[in-house]
Every structure is written in C-alpha cells, then in structure tokens.
Amino acid sequence: MAAKKLRRAMLSQELCERLSRHQITTCQDFLRLSFLELMKVTGQSYYDVRKLLCKVSRACAPKMQTAYEMKLRKSVNPSSAFLSTTLHSLDEVLHGGVPCGSLTEITGPPGCGKTQFCIMASVLATLPVSMGGLDGAVIYIDTESAFSAERLIEIAGNRFPTYFDSEEKLFCMTCSIHLYRELTCGSVLKRITSLEEEIISKKVKLIIVDSIASVVRKEFDTKLQGNLIERSNFLARGASVLKYLAEEFSIPVILTNQITTSLSNGLAIQADLVSPADDLSLSEGASGSGKRKSGCVTAALGNTWSHSVNTRLILQYHDLLTRQLLVAKSPVAPFSAFFYTIEKSGLVLQGQCQGLTP
C-alpha cells in the first residue's frame, strides 16, 4: 500500500507537483522523510506537516475488513473475481479461472507454452464480461522479446472466430494491449512502480510479466553472496509492488518463471536456473491431496519468490510427446493435472482432470 501515488492520497495538485520536483511521488517516499525534511520540501508549518503525515498514513494503511465483507464483495459480482481461461475443466477446479487481486505464476521448462498462455490471457482480458473477459486493457512486460503480435491475432481469430469476425475488432483488441520491453531488473522495477496512474487512465484489467526469471538470471550470479542479497531484495520489492497493484485495483497479475522437471523415466528437461531452488513435490497441492507422479519440480527463484505467489500453474512435459498442466498451488483448488496441446487457438485441454499415478 505504501506504493500508492500521492495524487491518490487526496493531496492538492499543487503540493503533489512540488513534491514531485524532489522525486517524492509515493506515500512511501513521503513517509520516509523526517518532519524537518517535509517542512523544507512542502514549505508548510510543523502542524500542517503533521496533518499531512496523518492523511498520507491513513491513505496507504490497509483497511480492516471482515471475512464476511470479502465473501459478500465477491458474491455481488462473481465474474469480476476471476479471469476465465476458457479451459473449462481448469476454470472449474480454480472456481472460476485466474483469480483477480493476487499473483498467479505460470512456471515450466522452455517450450511448454508459458508465453502462449500469457498471449492467450491477453486476448481473454479484452473480451466483454459476458464472454468471461474483463473488458479492459492489458499491460504486458516482455523481458525476453518473446511476445508476437502475429500469434496474438492468430489466437484471437481461431479461439473466437464469431466474435473477432472483422478487422476492426482485431484492431481494437490489439490497441488494448500495451507492450513494454524491459531487459533489466532496474527497468522492470521502474516500470511496475510507475503503473498505478496508467492502470487508471487506460482501464487496465490484467498485468503480465514474461518472464520475471529472465532478468534475474542475466544480472545476478548466485555464486556471489552479495548478489543473493540483492536478488532477494529485488524479488521482494517487485512482488510487494505487484501485490499492491493486484489488490488495490482487483486485477489479476500473471508472471512466468522457469523450472527443471525430472521425470520418472529418467528424462530431465533442463531450464535455465537462476539459483539453487526448493524441491516442490508434485504431491504438494493446496489440499495436500494427490499422489506423487514423477521426481520433483524445481522452481527457479527459491523461497523468497515461491511464498510471494498465490497461485502456481506448472506447464511441463509429461513425456517426449505429451504436455501436462498442473495446479501446484492454490488457496481454493486441490492439486490437479491436465493434458494439453498447443494449437492455433492457444492451449487446448485434452480430456478431463487426470488422476496421478505412483
């Protein structure tokens, strides 16, 4: 909440502009300063600054709410609580789709369809609410130059041929997806911390970072202890800002990560690892149910990041020819597995939820 812009803390425009000239733009920037520093930059008296501190503190403090209020808010407009994936069996397991107001991680080895999922989600977020969409714009932060406008149009036209039946509709859809190519940790962090006003002005309903692991891998040599601390600080701050944006505006945030998958038949598909990581047993779902399928899944960003995400979907190779989608972490869903293919229309599930075998 400290990332909230001062403009949204009900301060006057004149004061916000004055503070901005001193690089003070968020509640956090303001509250870091001493009384004397605030008196100097605002030009106001001790008592006026004291009032300003109370006002800014109240604006960024999380507001108390009861469990009943949370349940009531979602029940009033359940369609706004999730972004449907249009993968009906997956949506059913997730109680509606990708949850709004929280972080969802799509993780897996290269070539399994993480970017395909993100591009498909971008199309879905622009759709009308009546079609399971969010009727809004998308911020897509691409750190690997993997986004393809041609693939975006192909998925839209093949998944919803009756809706995208004209060049005009395809044009409107593509204009709603705002792409940023950020290739360093600093530029990614700067971008996400500046998104608040853009979310409001452009009516953004989905944020995607593809991928968070890419920039971390390029900049931090995990063999150096100082780098481990810097990396943890970057991940913690990035997750904090993204969580604030998700919760403040009740929108889904989707991030991609990388893993190594070890299969029971000895096949190992190696991802580019960022650091030594935690073994995530395939039997560790939200409910603790399910049987161990094969080896382990190793996340690329370790504990700091692992605990920041609310929902984790793993895309992996089941064998040389088959891909599998796992619901590995969710506050509402049991551990589940689905076979899928990647087609012109994006990801397509093959059959119902699969039981796990020893």
Side-chain angles (χ1 to χ4, degrees):
M1 299 294 284
K4 178 179 285 189
K5 296 291 184 181
L6 285 172
R7 293 181 187 277
R8 299 186 61 236
M10 306 305 290
L11 271 61
S12 70
Q13 183 176 347
E14 180 184 357
L15 180 57
C16 287
E17 289 174 354
R18 179 167 183 162
L19 291 169
S20 181
R21 291 195 289 270
H22 295 274
Q23 287 74 52
I24 303 168
T25 59
T26 68
C27 292
Q28 184 179 48
D29 296 335
F30 188 90
L31 295 173
R32 278 177 173 173
L33 301 178
S34 66
F35 266 91
L36 289 177
E37 290 171 323
L38 287 172
M39 289 171 65
K40 182 178 179 180
V41 296
T42 62
Q44 299 191 17
S45 68
Y46 174 87
Y47 295 102
D48 288 336
V49 167
R50 190 170 182 176
K51 291 178 182 178
L52 284 175
L53 278 170
C54 291
K55 192 172 188 178
V56 173
S57 297
R58 285 195 298 269
C60 70
K63 295 178 176 58
M64 187 280 295
Q65 58 182 332
T66 66
Y68 175 74
E69 288 170 335
M70 292 176 66
K71 182 178 183 300
L72 184 63
R73 188 174 67 253
K74 290 185 177 181
S75 63
V76 168
N77 188 9
S79 62
S80 65
F82 297 94
L83 169 61
S84 170
T85 67
T86 65
L87 304 171
H88 300 299
S89 297
L90 177 62
D91 284 348
E92 185 176 352
V93 166
L94 293 175
H95 293 206
V98 176
C100 297
S102 65
L103 307 189
T104 296
E105 181 187 72
I106 311 298
T107 188
C112 273
K114 299 187 295 295
T115 296
Q116 302 292 320
F117 186 100
C118 291
I119 293 174
M120 187 174 80
S122 298
V123 174
L124 299 174
T126 67
L127 294 174
V129 174
S130 60
M131 294 179 65
L134 299 175
D135 195 19
V138 179
I139 296 292
Y140 196 117
I141 299 174
D142 181 11
T143 69
E144 295 185 307
S145 299
F147 182 88
S148 168
E150 291 76 17
R151 182 61 174 141
L152 176 77
I153 293 170
E154 181 181 42
I155 289 176
N158 283 277
R159 201 168 195 91
F160 304 100
T162 56
Y163 181 74
F164 292 108
D165 57 356
S166 67
E167 291 292 330
E168 183 181 358
K169 284 188 176 180
L170 285 170
F171 175 76
C172 290
M173 182 271 294
T174 56
C175 287
S176 297
I177 298 171
H178 306 279
L179 181 70
Y180 296 102
R181 298 198 188 279
E182 308 294 355
L183 304 179
T184 67
C185 290
S187 64
V188 169
L189 195 56
K190 184 177 180 180
R191 176 63 60 189
I192 62 177
T193 53
S194 68
L195 286 180
E196 187 171 356
E197 291 178 357
E198 191 171 354
I199 290 171
I200 297 170
S201 63
K202 294 180 178 176
K203 298 182 180 179
V204 172
K205 297 295 184 178
L206 171 65
I207 297 173
I208 295 174
V209 183
D210 181 25
S211 83
I212 197 70
S214 176
V215 288
V216 175
R217 183 185 69 241
K218 287 184 291 187
E219 292 192 29
F220 296 107
D221 181 356
T222 56
K223 295 177 183 178
L224 302 177
Q225 187 173 359
N227 276 0
L228 285 172
I229 296 173
E230 288 183 25
R231 187 198 67 168
S232 294
N233 289 340
F234 165 74
L235 291 171
R237 188 176 177 192
S240 176
V241 173
L242 290 169
K243 275 181 174 289
Y244 160 72
L245 294 174
E247 293 172 2
E248 179 73 6
F249 298 102
S250 191
I251 61 176
V253 174
I254 298 177
L255 312 118
T256 65
N257 193 0
Q258 298 165 342
I259 60 171
T260 296
T261 305
S262 301
L263 301 177
S264 57
N265 61 2
L267 176 66
I269 300 167
Q270 179 70 36
D272 293 322
L273 293 183
V274 177
S275 69
D278 311 305
D279 285 346
L280 302 173
S281 168
L282 292 187
S283 62
E284 292 176 357
S287 65
S289 62
K291 298 179 180 178
R292 189 178 181 87
K293 172 63 179 174
S294 53
C296 64
V297 174
T298 308
L301 296 179
N303 271 331
T304 299
W305 183 257
S306 180
H307 293 303
S308 297
V309 299
N310 306 97
T311 303
R312 177 177 292 109
L313 305 180
I314 297 175
L315 306 183
Q316 67 171 12
Y317 293 97
H318 180 69
D319 53 39
L320 286 173
L321 300 175
T322 312
R323 294 182 176 96
Q324 192 176 44
L325 187 157
L326 308 176
V327 180
K329 179 182 180 182
S330 168
V332 297
F335 182 79
S336 309
F338 306 87
F339 292 120
Y340 69 95
T341 57
I342 298 176
E343 302 178 11
K344 288 184 177 181
S345 60
L347 272 68
V348 177
L349 296 187
Q350 303 298 307
Q352 300 298 312
C353 181
Q354 304 295 315
L356 298 180
T357 57

